Amino acid sequence: MTKQELPKAYDFKSTEARIYAMWETGGFFKPHNDPNKPGFDPNVKPFVISIPPPNVTGELHIGHAMFVSVEDLMTRYHRMKGYSTLWVPGTDHAGIATQLMVERDILQKEEVTREEMGREEFLKRTWEWKHKYGSLITNQIRRLGASCDWDRERFTLDEGLSRAVREAFVRLYEKGLIYRGPRLINWSPGLKTAVSDLEVEYEEEEARLYYFKYMLKDSDEYIPVATIRPETILGDTAVAVHPDDERYQKFIGKTCIVPILNREIPVIADDYVSIEFGTGALKITPGHDPNDYAIAHKHNLPIISILDKEAKVNENGGSYKGQDRFDARKNLWADMKKAGLVIKEEPYRTTIPRSQRGGEIVEPMISEQWFVTIEPLAKQALDAVKDGRIKIVPERFEKTYYNWMENIKDWCISRQLWWGHRIPVWYCPDNHMTVAREDPTACATCGSKDIHQDEDVLDTWFSSGLWPFSTLGWPEQTPDLEYFYPTSYMETGYDILFFWVARMIMSGLEYTGQIPFHTVYLHGLVRDEQGHKISKTKGNVIDPLILMDEFGTDALRFNILVGSTPGNDTNVGPKKVEANRNFVNKIWNAGRFVIAAIDSQQSIDKPGDYTLADSWIWAKLQQLVRDVERQIQNFQYGQAGQAIYDFIWNDFADWYVEVAKEQLKNDATRARTVDTLARVFDISLKLLHPFIPFVTEEMWGHLRRAVLDAGASHIFDDSPNALIVAKWPEPRPLEGWEETKIADFTLLQEIVRSIRNLRAEKNVAPSKRIAANISAGAKTALLKAQANVIASLAGLSEAELSITETLQEKPKDAAALVVGSVEIYLPLAGMVDLSNEKARLEKELKEAESHIQRLENLLGSDFANKAPAALVQKERDKLAGYKDTAEKIKAQLK
RNA sequence: GGGCGCGUAGCUCAGUUGGUUAGAGCGCUACUAUCACACAGUAGAAGUCGGGGGUUCGAGUCCCUCCGCGCCCACCA
């Protein structure tokens, strides 16, 4: 019976989609302990992650690949550990982003404005857009291998989540924690909506500072004032100076004249003004500057708005009415120049507030908006992290979190958009407010039927803040909510710690009375191969889809996961992904070897004794399992992945497989070798599965079939028929024999390496089998048992290999090697020139002696008294070893 | 102004609580198409762990300080 040949190179293209479909249709993404189904056991521990919902209209970028890789790793690990694992998928309606996209792609083409189209039609079109493109992103996330329970997929604007948003709003309102009023907010003139403080980005830019004269009323005297935005002069309601400023003290209480408009405004004193800075005098524009706004409140100054929603000058700006803010700046300044009010202007570097979305300069403006009183919410959220109920990984971000929470300001939650959750407030003609969970038909105060709903929608983050519990059914007390909430990990980028994580913690505590998750894991940002920040303008955008096309999903995932550390940025690029593709291929081919070995066996049911290599690889594997477990528990996923990589490539493929080739030739060792290959490879695949799920699942399937065909079902007796739900390898306590076997095999490796080294140095043809005499002392029995392995690995002729306890006499014309206490003679006479042998040996002696010197110094110091005894003993043994080596080299030099 | 991070081989980066002779990938040098894999193998070259000081038997790792980058927060016109 001939088995089907596996191709030499792993073909991810034909594998990935098939494997994913197998998982999904097999129901493996669902929690095995479902509270909605019979047989539910409340005592089984759940493990839950809510996906950071990508924008519903978005397309996959490398940031998605990052969170999917990490969360899928977390999820698969816990699934294999036996948790009832749930990863809740979904998408975000992303108010501004989506609305902008629809406006750009539909309205612009049809040459209609949003206003012309009308709200109802616009929303209809946006929903159509969502239905058309909404599955794009989720399909791309599937392609990354995400083991989400797609039956529980949610959307922030779907019915259930909208109900949750209403409930949350009404509760806060009823508690008095939501208010409406005119406040100074950040206005985005391009988007024509308010944005929150977080949505404004400050960048240092080149600007100009304008100096001018504030003339005193009925006087030739003036106060010099500087500003970056001259147009705001139109809204000035005072000039402020420091009370102690001797230059200006005489003006305090007097009146000055607003340039061009000729309004009269007072000169006030406030110690907010710094005497040293600028001219030492400050114009106060409460309608368009947050500091001035505060000062105006303190001094009871009038507040004048001079700009409309498009940032054009309004009726308060006199003749400048209708001009764009920047035109008004130019024109007003020109007019002031003519009037002789200008002193000078100069270049000036300052921070300019820009909208995170549109990029245009944000204008502080007075506007009627809805706010959340944030302090009581922040207090709880602060405590939850401080008292350890929520842990942030890496820990340093806890400090960042505290700092933000302690200085938080009220949250402006209303947006002048259409795409989003409409604010559940209705007004009657008498302006009574009705705030309701269900759409009302009449005013709650006066009963008027003539009511209309607030036009504004809520900030997108208001609904995403509810995500961990709204997706589980809140406000209803569903079985899902009961069992799966609070969730376990919140995994996301550090860049949205405030936007999202902080708000989820506040919301969770406020609405559910519980923390929404107990651990926050923050990953770093993805950078390009050179470590540069990725940006469209720089043109170094990394498309994960292209990388997956070329190298496969596993390779991309492994790149993202390995070599990175929590909270630190990580580099991704074709070169790196290619290197990981090579690793994936290595696994594939190691697997082919293992399977071929199994197939060649009649039965591997009755293995014999373990060889040294069998024990060694098993010991190394146990070490690996312990190591990986510890690293994963500590969120050191990169370290864990690296350890598995090293084991598979360096220990398993480079050494054990090579030894196995020899052991398979021998009847006495064959069965145990096949058995060991299968077991070690099986466990390796299990450890690797959360990192690179596709190739491991595929290869494990082949392995399992081969093993079962060979009648060795005991190897897999604890595992179901898919790796994704196989049992995670449990670490076992260290056993005494492990270190011995590792030490013995390490000696063998060193012997082999030193022979290979010499051969390379002497240019002995790789295919040339040479003779060797080994004098092994105490290690004689050990090495004798491994004679065939040593011969095969070092290219020795087994027939001409002699291993004895001592040598009667030193072979003539042989190159000599010393490994620890083992002496090796390679009679190379006739093959190579041995004239420089003496120099080589002297060099080695020198090296050994320098070690002896170093160790004698070390052991002669306080180290011997103060360091742990085991460590000291280790160094002593080492010293003895070097001494032995040196002695033997010296003897050879005689 | 406050806070955080980084500086380790030519390049990009790991290095958990201080404990051998500091590691990986890529690149580089030499050799190898043999029967898991040339997406490979074997052997090799390459680092005063940014500078200085301190604690310690012992420091890439802890403390101080200086230098150079980067990020976050913040209301100085």
Side-chain angles (χ1 to χ4, degrees), chain A residues 707-742:
Chain A
V707 167
L708 295 182
D709 286 354
S713 58
H714 60 285
I715 290 179
F716 286 94
D717 58 7
D718 62 337
S719 288
N721 59 1
L723 182 56
I724 184 176
V725 285
K727 219 170 137 220
W728 182 257
E730 284 304 324
R732 305 181 186 180
L734 180 68
E735 290 174 39
W737 61 267
E738 292 180 21
E739 287 184 337
T740 314
K741 293 296 180 185
I742 288 174

Side-chain angles (χ1 to χ4, degrees), chain A residues 380-392 395 398 402 515 517-520:
Chain A
Q380 302 180 57
L382 201 53
D383 291 345
V385 176
K386 282 206 164 147
D387 64 23
R389 277 177 293 152
I390 296 177
K391 184 171 91 171
I392 301 182
E395 215 177 62
E398 291 187 357
Y402 297 151
I515 52 168
F517 31 73
H518 58 71
T519 299
V520 176

Side-chain angles (χ1 to χ4, degrees), chain A residues 211-215 219-222 233 257-262 320 330-343:
Chain A
Y211 292 80
F212 67 99
K213 301 173 183 172
Y214 242 111
M215 302 305 295
S219 162
D220 289 339
E221 288 191 287
Y222 64 86
I233 290 168
I257 306 293
V258 175
I260 311 299
L261 293 186
N262 296 322
Y320 303 97
K330 244 187 297 174
N331 296 332
L332 174 63
W333 190 247
D335 293 344
M336 285 168 63
K337 220 172 205 167
K338 276 184 221 154
L341 294 172
V342 164
I343 299 171

Side-chain angles (χ1 to χ4, degrees), chain A residues 851-852 854-856 858-884:
Chain A
H851 281 299
I852 290 167
R854 181 180 57 80
L855 288 168
E856 277 180 343
L858 179 66
L859 290 164
S861 72
D862 256 5
F863 173 79
N865 310 324
K866 299 201 174 176
L871 207 65
V872 176
Q873 190 52 46
K874 223 170 151 187
E875 297 303 317
R876 288 215 173 97
D877 293 347
K878 227 182 294 170
L879 178 60
Y882 281 121
K883 278 186 167 164
D884 199 359

Side-chain angles (χ1 to χ4, degrees), chain A residues 410-424:
Chain A
D410 282 358
W411 176 15
C412 174
I413 51 169
S414 45
R415 295 287 180 279
Q416 287 65 53
L417 305 172
W418 287 349
W419 180 242
H421 300 276
R422 202 157 166 184
I423 290 179

Side-chain angles (χ1 to χ4, degrees), chain A residues 243-254:
Chain A
D244 301 336
D245 193 330
E246 289 170 8
R247 294 169 296 176
Y248 305 131
Q249 259 173 356
K250 55 183 173 183
F251 299 133
I252 295 168
K254 299 213 163 146

Side-chain angles (χ1 to χ4, degrees), chain A residues 190-211:
Chain A
L191 305 168
K192 279 178 269 176
T193 177
V195 293
S196 74
D197 293 346
L198 278 177
E199 289 164 294
V200 178
E201 286 171 348
Y202 293 87
E203 277 175 74
E204 191 165 290
E205 294 176 26
E206 208 60 61
R208 294 189 82 71
L209 190 56
Y210 301 84
Y211 292 80

